[in-house]
């Protein structure tokens, strides 16, 4: 089995899985309980918070635990809207954001907020000049993803941060879900106010994530009740998931340099092979993230290609796992100016440091066979 769908989810590290099991066996108390079991669970929760904060270059009270990237994105956007609506109702995002961002903005638009979507170039990158043109006095939020989940475009977070130094009233949210192990540091500019992460994208468990919130930046809570997470996110904390996430984050960052080198080695082999075909187009920018490769074979729809490789026990995906079961044109490729005839054929390979050159060679050999079969059908 060859697993080339790591942007959809990664396999848990055995060490993180072991941590998850041990914590749920030994520290099963509710962290809000006053007795010894509750205190032990809370101590472990706070220890995990300190470790994660250290790894991110943040302070412990800037780290809030969520159920994953989707909740973190929703909270950053809707929490800003609820907190700052009296100051303005204008928000900005790129045209290639994850649905967790775009769907949140669509909801707010129905409530009277105005959304400006920044265009991108052929590589999926926003323009700093275009961004500056749309910032207004009533702008309260800018949301930009660090690495695009479909094609791997890396946005100029540092340059955007420099620009926003001139606009201190605008909250700057970065969806960094695809960036762990790929961009260091994750908080790439002091002007970043909010940052979203999801554990299952870096070999941690599903159902747990992080929202970094910079000191002094206020957002409203979405979940109210028992007052957990300093009153910002009420619900009984997932102590086992958080501890396993902390373990996975540490392991991913410690191995990030070697993992990136391995990913780029495998990716370059795949790019070289796919580039030999006249009826194949590669959409991922050359200087994009090393773990994502988006391409298409002319006339072969993405889902057909996915199932063809699945029959060979090779797992890839259409451009986004979150929308792969829905029909339509991949919106990132559409925003990049890719014709529908090509974008509907797009598939994505996404790597981890555990993928090997021999796996790439096996993929190339199977692609050669499938290419010939598809040509005969066409």
């Amino acid at each position: 089995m060859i697993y080339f769908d790591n942007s959809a989810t990664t396999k848990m590290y055995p060490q993180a899985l072991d941590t998850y099991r041990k914590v749920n066996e030994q520290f099963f108390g509710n962290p809000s309980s006053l007795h010894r079991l509750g205190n032990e669970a809370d101590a472990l929760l706070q220890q995990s918070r300190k470790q994660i904060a250290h790894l991110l270059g943040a302070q412990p009270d800037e780290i809030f635990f969520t159920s994953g990237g989707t909740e973190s994105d929703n909270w950053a956007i809707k929490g800003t809207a609820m907190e700052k609506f009296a100051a303005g109702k204008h928000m900005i995002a790129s045209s290639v954001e994850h649905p967790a961002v775009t769907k949140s903005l669509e909801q707010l638009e129905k409530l009277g907020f105005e959304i400006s979507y920044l265009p991108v170039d052929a590589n999926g990158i926003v323009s700093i000049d275009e961004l500056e043109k749309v910032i207004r006095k009533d702008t309260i939020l800018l949301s930009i993803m660090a690495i695009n989940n479909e094609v791997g475009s890396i946005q100029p977070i540092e340059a955007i941060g420099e620009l926003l130094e001139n606009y201190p009233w605008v909250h700057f949210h970065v969806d960094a879900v695809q960036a762990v192990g790929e961009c260091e540091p994750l908080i790439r500019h002091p002007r970043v106010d909010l940052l979203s992460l999801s554990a299952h994208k870096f070999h941690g468990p599903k159902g747990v994530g992080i929202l970094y919130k910079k000191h002094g930046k206020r957002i409203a809570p979405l979940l109210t009740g028992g007052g957990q997470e300093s009153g910002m996110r009420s619900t009984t904390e997932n102590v086992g998931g958080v501890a396993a996430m902390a373990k996975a984050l540490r392991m991913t960052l410690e191995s990030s340099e070697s993992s990136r080198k391995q990913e780029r080695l495998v990716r370059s082999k795949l790019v070289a092979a796919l580039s030999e075909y006249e009826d194949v187009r590669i959409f991922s920018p050359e200087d994009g993230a090393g773990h994502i490769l988006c391409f298409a074979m002319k006339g072969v729809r993405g889902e057909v290609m996915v199932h063809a490789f699945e029959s060979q026990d090779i797992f890839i995906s259409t451009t986004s796992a979150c929308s792969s079961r829905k029909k339509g044109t991949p919106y990132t490729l559409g925003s990049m100016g890719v014709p529908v005839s090509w974008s509907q054929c797009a598939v994505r390979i996404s790597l981890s440091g555990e993928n090997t050159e021999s796996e790439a060679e096996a993929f190339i050999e199977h692609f050669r066979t499938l290419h010939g079969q598809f040509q005969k059908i066409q």
Side-chain angles (χ1 to χ4, degrees):
M1 188 268 284
I2 297 175
Y3 185 71
F4 278 173
D5 196 19
N6 289 278
S7 286
T9 195
T10 54
K11 183 179 179 181
M12 281 186 73
Y13 288 130
Q15 298 92 327
L17 184 59
D18 189 50
T19 294
Y20 183 82
R21 179 183 60 79
K22 286 182 177 178
V23 170
N24 280 297
E25 285 179 348
Q26 300 174 22
F27 299 91
F28 58 86
N30 188 322
S32 297
S33 296
L34 296 178
H35 51 62
R36 177 171 55 84
L37 292 179
N39 291 336
E40 290 173 348
D42 183 62
L44 183 57
L45 185 72
Q46 303 315 324
Q47 178 184 334
S48 299
R49 195 187 311 275
K50 289 179 182 178
Q51 181 181 4
I52 289 169
H54 175 73
L55 291 169
L56 296 182
Q59 297 300 314
D61 59 358
E62 295 177 315
I63 302 300
F64 296 87
F65 299 127
T66 69
S67 63
T70 293
E71 184 191 336
S72 295
D73 285 348
N74 271 255
W75 186 12
I77 293 166
K78 296 173 185 175
T80 296
M82 293 168 65
E83 182 67 31
K84 293 172 67 77
F85 71 92
K89 291 189 175 182
H90 180 235
M91 295 181 163
I92 305 169
S94 82
S95 59
V96 293
E97 295 300 307
H98 189 276
V101 170
T102 59
K103 297 296 184 183
S104 295
L105 294 172
E106 288 173 11
Q107 282 188 310
L108 291 174
E109 201 166 19
K110 294 176 182 177
L111 297 175
F113 286 81
E114 183 182 351
I115 315 299
S116 294
Y117 291 99
L118 298 171
V120 295
D121 63 18
N123 288 321
I125 306 297
V126 300
S127 162
I128 302 298
D129 291 338
E130 290 299 317
L131 169 58
E132 189 165 21
K133 290 177 184 177
V134 299
I135 297 177
R136 309 185 323 209
K137 290 184 177 180
D138 63 338
T139 303
I140 59 173
L141 176 77
L142 168 66
S143 184
I144 300 287
M145 67 190 341
I147 295 178
N148 180 266
N149 58 302
E150 295 189 25
V151 299
S153 306
I154 301 175
Q155 298 294 351
I157 300 300
E158 295 92 339
I160 293 172
E162 288 299 313
L163 173 65
L164 290 184
E165 294 283 12
N166 301 317
Y167 304 94
W169 63 87
V170 179
H171 278 184
F172 183 19
H173 168 242
V174 175
D175 178 344
V177 166
Q178 292 291 338
V180 179
E182 306 299 329
C183 292
E184 294 182 14
L186 280 167
I187 303 172
R188 288 158 60 190
H189 191 279
R191 189 59 182 78
V192 173
D193 302 313
L194 302 157
L195 183 132
S196 301
L197 298 173
S198 188
H200 76 102
K201 305 294 188 178
F202 51 88
H203 304 281
K206 297 177 181 66
V208 61
I210 297 164
L211 180 68
Y212 159 81
K213 184 180 74 66
K214 186 179 178 181
H215 275 304
K217 298 299 178 178
R218 299 180 61 178
I219 61 174
L222 297 187
L223 302 181
T224 55
Q228 290 88 349
E229 294 298 290
S230 301
M232 294 299 294
R233 197 237 182 205
S234 295
T235 192
T236 301
E237 299 93 340
N238 179 2
V239 181
V242 167
M245 175 171 63
K247 169 82 78 171
L249 182 61
R250 178 180 62 79
M251 293 179 64
T252 297
L253 295 181
E254 286 178 349
S255 64
S256 61
E257 186 175 350
S258 60
S259 291
R260 286 197 301 270
K261 182 179 179 180
Q262 179 66 16
E263 289 165 1
R264 290 200 173 275
L265 190 66
V266 174
R267 185 181 187 270
S268 63
K269 184 178 285 288
L270 293 168
V271 168
L274 292 170
S275 298
E276 296 176 0
Y277 297 91
E278 293 184 359
D279 57 352
V280 172
R281 283 185 61 180
I282 294 174
F283 305 116
S284 294
E286 188 175 342
D287 59 352
H291 67 302
I292 295 177
L293 177 60
C294 181
F295 71 94
M297 177 180 172
K298 188 176 183 179
V300 181
R301 292 184 67 91
E303 60 267 28
V304 174
M305 185 70 74
V306 167
H307 291 307
F309 274 103
E310 181 187 9
S311 69
Q312 305 300 318
D313 221 19
I314 298 174
F315 296 91
I316 62 174
S317 70
T318 51
T319 51
S320 175
C322 294
S323 57
S324 61
R325 294 182 182 273
K326 302 172 184 176
K327 305 299 181 183
T329 303
Y331 59 88
T332 294
L333 296 178
S335 297
M336 292 165 57
V338 177
V340 174
S341 59
W342 277 101
S343 61
Q344 290 183 339
C345 299
V347 293
R348 179 189 66 187
I349 291 172
S350 48
L351 308 168
S352 79
E354 297 177 353
N355 290 123
T356 64
E357 289 182 85
S358 62
E359 290 179 330
E361 291 164 1
F363 176 90
I364 292 166
E365 185 61 34
H366 284 298
F367 183 81
R368 184 178 295 114
T369 300
L370 291 171
H371 182 271
Q373 295 173 354
F374 284 132
Q375 278 192 322
K376 289 178 183 178
I377 295 172
Q378 293 178 34

